[in-house]
Amino acid sequence: MGILSKWLAALALVAMLVAACAPATAEPPGVAPAEETPPEGAATEPAAPIEEPTAAVDPTRSLDLILVQHALCAWDSFWCTVERGITDAADDLGVNVTVLGPDEFDLEQTASLIDQAVAAQPDGIGLTVTDPVLFKEPIERALAAGIPVVGYNAGNGPIADGIDYLTYIGQDEYQGGYLGGLRMVAAGGTQGVCINQQVGHAGLDKRCNGLVDAFTESGLQAEVLAISDDPAESETIIGDYTTANPGADAFLTLGPNGANPFYAWMESAGMGAGDVVHGTFDLSPEITANIESGVTLFGIDQQPYLQGYAAVLMLTMVNRYGIAPALPVTATGPGFVDAGNVGAEPAPDRAVELIMVQHALCAWDAFWCVVQKGIETAAEQLGASVTVLGPDEFDLEQTAALIDQAIAAQPDGIALTVTDPVLFKEPIERALAAGIPVLAYNAGSGPLADGIDYLTYLGQDEYQGGYLGGLRMVEAGGSQGVCINQQVGHAGLDKRCQGFTDAFTESGLSAEVLSISDDPAESQTIIDDYYTANPGTDAFLTLGPNGANPFYAFLEAAGLGPDQVVHGTFDLSPEIVENIKNGTTLFGIDQQPFLQGYGAVLYLTLLLRQNIAPALPVSATGPGFVDLGNVAIVEALAGEYR
Amino acid sequence: MTVVTSVVAGWRLSLRRLLLSSSVIGPLATWMAIFVLFSVVASNFLSLRTVSGILNAATLTGVVTIGVTLLMISGEFDLSVGSMMAIGGYLFGQQAAKGTPLLGLLLALLIPAVLGALNGLILIATRIPSFIVTLGTRSIYRGLAWIISGGALLQLTEDLPIYEVLNGRLEVVDKLFEGANFRTSVVWLLGLLLLVQYLLIRTDYGNHVFAAGGNRAAAAAQGVNIPRVKLVNFIITGTLAGFAGVLLFSQFKTVRVATGAGTELSAIAAAVVGGALLRGGSGSIWGALVGVLLISTLRTGVILLNIPFIPADNFEAVVGVAIIGAVVFNDWLRRRA
């Protein structure tokens, strides 16, 4: 026992030594938060020593933006809502916005206004891509002049329009039909009908596809019924259809032109509220009245206010923080108007008190300082009061208890990280039962996947990250791709690879997945062997620093440079930032944590003041691409905004 | 004539003795067979690039496997090696960031050595099987890595001369041969291997290690202090795991909390493929090295073969089949001998 006690004494000594060392050594330069798996929100931010801040980087500077649209509030009242969104955003963000539009609907004149906007050399241009063919050249002149461009209200997104603008801000038609269909199923619909007044119209067909998919995925049936422009004829068609299909009990109309004959049919068939489930796109006085009387479950609004607001917001984010919109289409709709919010008037001056509950804090995890900055910036710009709650160390039980604490304070809204959907489900449902709107940020999978009825989840869209990254690599000359996955079987990582391989396959090229291990030396050899066996491989996607690190070792040992291979990666680390700067790496994909904090506050405030609800179950803050174009601003703002 | 016959007979005898006494022959034969097979069927297998790749992939696991094998021969397991590897990586990297890499190297060897001692002491004090003890400390040490690191990935971009010594490119060799990519870690691995092999074969201590894992009553009767032997083996294993963390950091300048996860099982697999018995008393350091190389060679070979129905992301399955196959073959050889 003598030896034993001596050893124990020595151990105690060393333990003290370790304890004494640990705090001092916890934060050496070049430390970035660990990234194990993406959904946990532990994304890596470059904490690389800030070298020389670029002169242009000023996250508070004023901006001059020009918006060009094919119609104006002056002669089309629809646009007054859009312009109200524009003005409010300009006020909130402290930027100057000029709105240009023709005196009457005139696409040629609108196109020439784009050129006029370019000539004024603004910091950003937002425009309606009403005619992608006619507007293509003016937009490309703006891009060539280095002016960031977003589309709003009219357009199909950069990929579909074949113009390289940042994003299209408007309604996601498919999701409108899909989410509407899910609501109709939840309301008791068992057999669906999509009443389409213009079969063959791409946007309307997408709505119907969404509805049919929602019913099919729920194990039910739905089909499309074509009606005509003649309301009397349409009423008869609907009547004949229901006679032939007496089981049909859920009807989706695609606008006032379908809803009008539908109501006529209901009246003539002697039906009223509760007999069938009806949902529709768009709002009209007739539709609003039927929502109020309970005949119609919902009307789907594209939320024009948000289109104007988001156009200004995104151009501001790009300029000030180098934060780009995550997806080619940024959905402002479907916004559901139902018995709960029909007829609600905006209350722009309403005081807003929010509580954020998150599983980590800036105080002990540097990643969260960026989220915190987003929260604070939004709170200041919107005049909202926000309290952030979090545990002293990673502790899910304590975090769940903080949600209950937040509910007890009766705030106007709660935003939280759904780090553990099972554990957090009950507290979140208590908040919802208390009538408090809830949304999720940074950690979660969205209300549908989590099985909790919160508004939306603000975080990275993993599949789109892989897909859009893949398209970029193809554009950069990649012809044969490999997705280097350090943890095959991890749902989030697998989605990234799936998106990447889909992008290559759709481009008529091939790509596959290579599994590497936790041992970087082993991984380097695996990549080298794969390259030897598949020497045609020229496009490599890594899924984080754990994959990028052995990949760089492979490049060095194999003597390969950017001329021979295209490399893209998820996340940022000091090493990845270095390699973006020296041209080895085409891009690093960032989940844009600033936007997660900012967006959570913004969405809740817009909901409370403007009755604007997030359109989709997942509101993508990433992929945010960091490349040669914005790596300087990202590095200069690292740890604060990026 | 008689002289020749007796020499041949002598050779035969020593060969037979080698087969009987050494567990290297089985894995060595398997490895050579696999190597020759891949050289024939995979056109781009037989190159210096591939061979150096196989070696590089084997170094980190190899260094850990030396300790694990030594422990297994004395009848014990250590599942906490992966966690100690991460701790070693952090201790070295944090000091390197401060410009004191030598202190880092010292800490990265010393602290895991103490943690290894703790494994041994718990085993001796509680008599709980080491499999369970180290299953526990595996988590505890991972938690310690978390505390030391603050949960953060440590990545440096600056190059230090010490990295070149510990795990830089072996320029002398690489310049001589086109396509070769040998690293200094291979030299370290070889050196450690010779050192531990010498300890095991040429010293009393080596005999004690075999005795401790074999017939305990007999060992105790011979005056072997079994607890002390095991304690020292745990300390050696911890030190080597810490050193593996240092080697890792020296090449990749990166360490994260999960570094080394899974290494404990790779090391046991290599030791077993290399002829070590799970119940102790038998095994060889050389065999274990061959075990690591065998697994590494298989992985490389399977990827290079580019078999359509075994995509590159499925080679682990092949390695798994091979582990079982190699052990079955070893067993068969041992029974024949």
Side-chain angles (χ1 to χ4, degrees):
Chain A
M1 247 20 305
I3 292 179
L4 196 63
S5 55
K6 253 188 272 175
W7 270 103
L8 285 173
L11 269 177
L13 199 76
V14 173
M16 279 188 286
L17 185 74
V18 172
C21 280
T25 52
E27 289 175 49
V31 171
E35 158 101 343
E36 299 294 318
T37 52
E40 277 69 45
T44 324
E45 271 303 305
I50 295 167
E51 281 161 22
E52 37 193 324
T54 319
V57 178
D58 175 8
T60 57
R61 78 187 171 107
S62 182
L63 302 167
D64 292 309
L65 308 177
I66 299 180
L67 302 194
V68 182
Q69 51 195 42
H70 64 246
L72 290 173
C73 171
W75 51 271
D76 182 345
S77 63
F78 171 87
W79 290 89
C80 296
T81 318
V82 178
E83 287 177 25
R84 199 161 54 80
I86 294 170
T87 318
D88 285 359
D91 284 350
D92 290 343
L93 298 163
V95 298
N96 304 313
V97 182
T98 310
V99 179
L100 301 178
D103 301 328
E104 54 177 14
F105 189 76
D106 181 339
L107 290 177
E108 295 285 346
Q109 203 194 326
T110 312
S112 72
L113 287 173
I114 301 173
D115 278 323
Q116 196 177 313
V118 176
Q121 296 182 301
D123 295 307
I125 295 177
L127 45 83
T128 56
V129 192
T130 326
D131 185 335
V133 178
L134 188 63
F135 289 10
K136 186 178 166 76
E137 286 187 16
I139 295 175
E140 284 177 345
R141 278 193 283 274
L143 296 171
I147 303 168
V149 176
V150 298
Y152 64 103
N153 181 270
N156 303 294
I159 295 175
D161 284 339
I163 315 172
D164 204 20
Y165 60 91
L166 287 167
T167 189
Y168 163 65
I169 302 160
Q171 177 145 281
D172 186 323
E173 305 293 356
Y174 175 87
Q175 288 291 332
Y178 181 78
L179 296 171
L182 291 185
R183 280 182 183 233
M184 291 163 78
V185 170
T190 59
Q191 189 180 330
V193 185
C194 185
I195 300 174
N196 189 340
Q197 68 266 28
Q198 207 179 333
V199 171
H201 179 292
L204 299 188
D205 288 347
K206 275 188 205 160
R207 295 175 177 181
C208 283
N209 284 344
L211 177 92
V212 172
D213 285 355
F215 272 75
T216 311
E217 284 174 24
S218 307
L220 301 168
Q221 281 188 333
E223 59 183 347
V224 180
L225 173 66
I227 55 168
S228 73
D229 260 342
D230 178 339
E233 199 177 293
S234 298
E235 181 195 336
T236 307
I237 294 173
I238 297 170
D240 292 346
Y241 180 85
T242 49
T243 310
N245 302 275
D249 58 1
F251 299 87
L252 181 72
T253 50
L254 305 186
N257 298 347
N260 180 256
F262 177 79
Y263 292 133
W265 165 73
M266 276 190 84
E267 200 188 331
S268 63
M271 293 210 201
D275 292 333
V276 292
V277 182
H278 174 235
T280 185
F281 274 79
D282 301 333
L283 295 171
S284 67
E286 187 185 32
I287 291 172
T288 307
N290 278 293
I291 293 173
E292 280 165 354
S293 68
V295 171
T296 296
L297 189 63
F298 59 80
I300 293 176
D301 183 19
Q302 58 173 303
Q303 308 198 119
Y305 177 90
L306 191 55
Q307 294 174 359
Y309 197 101
V312 175
L313 178 72
M314 287 183 167
L315 290 172
T316 305
M317 291 263 172
V318 170
N319 273 288
R320 285 184 176 164
Y321 320 120
I323 289 176
L327 303 183
V329 174
T330 304
T332 61
F336 286 88
V337 175
D338 55 20
N341 61 354
V342 65
E345 289 295 320
D349 300 323
R350 176 180 171 172
V352 169
E353 283 184 30
L354 307 176
I355 298 183
M356 325 279 288
V357 182
Q358 51 193 41
H359 62 247
L361 289 175
C362 170
W364 51 271
D365 184 344
F367 171 86
W368 290 89
C369 298
V370 182
V371 180
Q372 178 85 22
K373 190 76 187 172
I375 294 170
E376 285 167 5
T377 307
E380 194 195 321
Q381 289 175 349
L382 300 166
S385 121
V386 182
T387 311
V388 180
L389 301 179
D392 301 328
E393 54 177 14
F394 188 77
D395 182 339
L396 290 177
E397 296 282 346
Q398 203 193 327
T399 312
L402 287 173
I403 301 174
D404 279 318
Q405 195 177 314
I407 298 167
Q410 295 184 300
D412 298 317
I414 296 176
L416 44 80
T417 57
V418 186
T419 325
D420 184 334
V422 178
L423 188 64
F424 289 10
K425 186 180 168 76
E426 288 187 15
I428 294 174
E429 284 178 344
R430 279 194 284 275
L432 295 171
I436 304 170
V438 176
L439 61 75
Y441 62 106
N442 182 272
S445 306
L448 298 179
D450 284 339
I452 314 173
D453 202 20
Y454 59 84
L455 287 164
T456 189
Y457 162 63
L458 285 129
Q460 177 146 285
D461 187 323
E462 305 294 354
Y463 176 87
Q464 288 292 332
Y467 182 78
L468 297 171
L471 291 185
R472 278 182 183 233
M473 290 164 80
V474 169
E475 200 183 325
S479 63
Q480 189 182 330
V482 61
C483 182
I484 299 174
N485 189 340
Q486 67 265 28
Q487 208 178 336
V488 170
H490 179 293
L493 299 188
D494 288 349
K495 276 187 206 158
R496 294 174 176 184
C497 282
Q498 187 63 48
F500 175 78
T501 49
D502 284 356
F504 272 75
T505 312
E506 284 174 22
S507 307
L509 303 167
S510 72
E512 56 182 352
V513 180
L514 175 66
S515 164
I516 56 167
S517 77
D518 257 337
D519 178 338
E522 207 172 282
S523 300
Q524 180 193 339
T525 297
I526 291 173
I527 299 169
D528 194 55
D529 292 340
Y530 181 84
Y531 184 70
T532 307
N534 304 274
T537 309
D538 56 5
F540 298 79
L541 180 74
T542 50
L543 305 186
N546 303 342
N549 184 245
F551 174 76
Y552 292 131
F554 149 73
L555 279 189
E556 195 201 333
L560 293 170
D563 295 340
Q564 289 111 327
V565 297
V566 183
H567 174 233
T569 185
F570 274 78
D571 301 331
L572 298 170
S573 69
E575 186 181 43
I576 291 170
V577 169
E578 279 304 309
N579 280 289
I580 292 174
K581 286 201 288 188
N582 69 27
T584 304
T585 297
L586 188 63
F587 60 79
I589 292 175
D590 182 20
Q591 59 169 303
Q592 308 196 129
F594 179 86
L595 204 50
Q596 295 172 359
Y598 191 99
V601 174
L602 176 69
Y603 266 143
L604 283 174
T605 307
L606 287 181
L607 177 72
L608 293 162
R609 288 184 181 157
Q610 304 287 347
N611 303 311
I612 298 285
L616 303 184
V618 175
S619 305
T621 63
F625 286 88
V626 177
D627 54 20
L628 260 183
N630 64 349
V631 68
I633 184 169
V634 170
E635 200 182 16
L637 299 177
E640 200 177 2
Y641 295 89
R642 297 301 307 236
Chain B
M1 201 59 191
T2 28
V3 178
V4 176
T5 317
S6 66
V7 166
V8 170
W11 269 100
R12 273 196 189 144
L13 191 68
S14 56
L15 192 67
R16 183 159 177 81
R17 198 176 289 152
L18 195 65
L19 273 169
L20 271 170
S21 65
S22 166
S23 41
V24 186
I25 297 304
L28 197 62
T30 314
W31 179 47
M32 282 163 61
I34 286 172
F35 199 91
V36 170
L37 179 76
F38 280 132
S39 304
V40 174
V41 295
S43 59
N44 37 23
F45 180 82
L46 202 61
S47 74
L48 276 169
R49 177 171 176 170
T50 306
V51 171
S52 52
I54 291 170
L55 272 173
N56 288 338
T59 48
L60 299 179
T61 310
V63 169
V64 174
T65 301
I66 291 174
V68 167
T69 307
L70 195 64
L71 257 182
M72 283 177 70
I73 295 172
S74 65
E76 302 298 341
F77 290 98
D78 190 345
L79 299 178
S80 68
V81 283
S83 310
M84 292 192 283
M85 197 170 152
I87 290 172
Y90 271 110
L91 292 170
F92 178 66
Q94 289 175 344
Q95 293 302 323
K98 290 180 183 170
T100 50
L102 281 175
L103 174 65
L105 178 60
L106 190 71
L107 285 174
L109 299 179
L110 189 70
I111 304 287
V114 171
L115 297 176
L118 190 62
N119 282 337
L121 291 173
I122 295 174
L123 173 83
I124 294 162
T126 63
R127 300 189 178 205
I128 298 171
S130 57
F131 190 89
I132 307 297
V133 170
T134 57
L135 193 64
T137 55
R138 175 173 168 269
S139 300
I140 298 171
Y141 297 168
R142 191 61 74 186
L144 187 62
W146 189 277
I147 292 168
I148 292 173
S149 64
L153 166 84
L154 173 60
Q155 187 167 80
L156 305 180
T157 43
E158 194 192 349
D159 280 311
L160 296 180
I162 192 170
Y163 300 153
E164 294 304 316
V165 179
L166 287 166
N167 199 357
R169 288 191 69 156
L170 206 55
E171 300 286 359
V172 196
V173 182
D174 290 355
K175 273 182 188 154
L176 279 178
F177 304 103
E178 172 76 20
N181 176 35
F182 293 99
R183 305 194 73 88
T184 50
S185 54
V186 174
V187 178
W188 286 103
L189 175 65
L190 210 64
L192 288 167
L193 195 75
L194 290 170
L195 192 72
V196 176
Q197 177 71 8
Y198 177 83
L199 190 75
L200 199 58
I201 301 301
R202 301 282 168 184
T203 66
D204 286 347
Y205 183 75
N207 287 331
H208 294 174
V209 171
F210 279 103
N215 187 334
R216 289 179 187 214
Q222 285 167 31
V224 176
N225 186 339
I226 295 176
R228 199 178 71 182
V229 167
K230 290 183 175 178
L231 183 63
V232 171
N233 281 353
F234 272 110
I235 294 172
I236 293 174
T237 304
T239 313
L240 288 173
F243 188 61
V246 171
L247 291 182
L248 184 149
F249 193 87
S250 297
Q251 188 190 350
F252 297 95
K253 289 178 283 179
T254 297
V255 58
R256 59 202 177 91
V257 177
T259 287
T263 309
E264 62 277 3
L265 296 182
S266 305
I268 292 174
V272 170
V273 169
L277 291 179
L278 279 181
R279 62 166 188 271
S282 171
S284 106
I285 302 295
W286 283 110
L289 177 76
V290 173
V292 180
L293 287 176
L294 195 148
I295 293 171
S296 184
T297 305
L298 261 176
R299 191 186 296 112
T300 289
V302 170
I303 297 172
L304 288 180
L305 270 181
N306 231 353
I307 308 167
F309 59 89
I310 306 174
D313 60 342
N314 212 355
F315 53 76
E316 283 303 334
V318 178
V319 172
V321 170
I323 289 172
I324 297 174
V327 174
V328 169
F329 179 64
N330 285 351
D331 246 28
W332 178 79
L333 261 188
R334 196 174 278 135
R335 262 185 257 119
R336 271 183 64 98

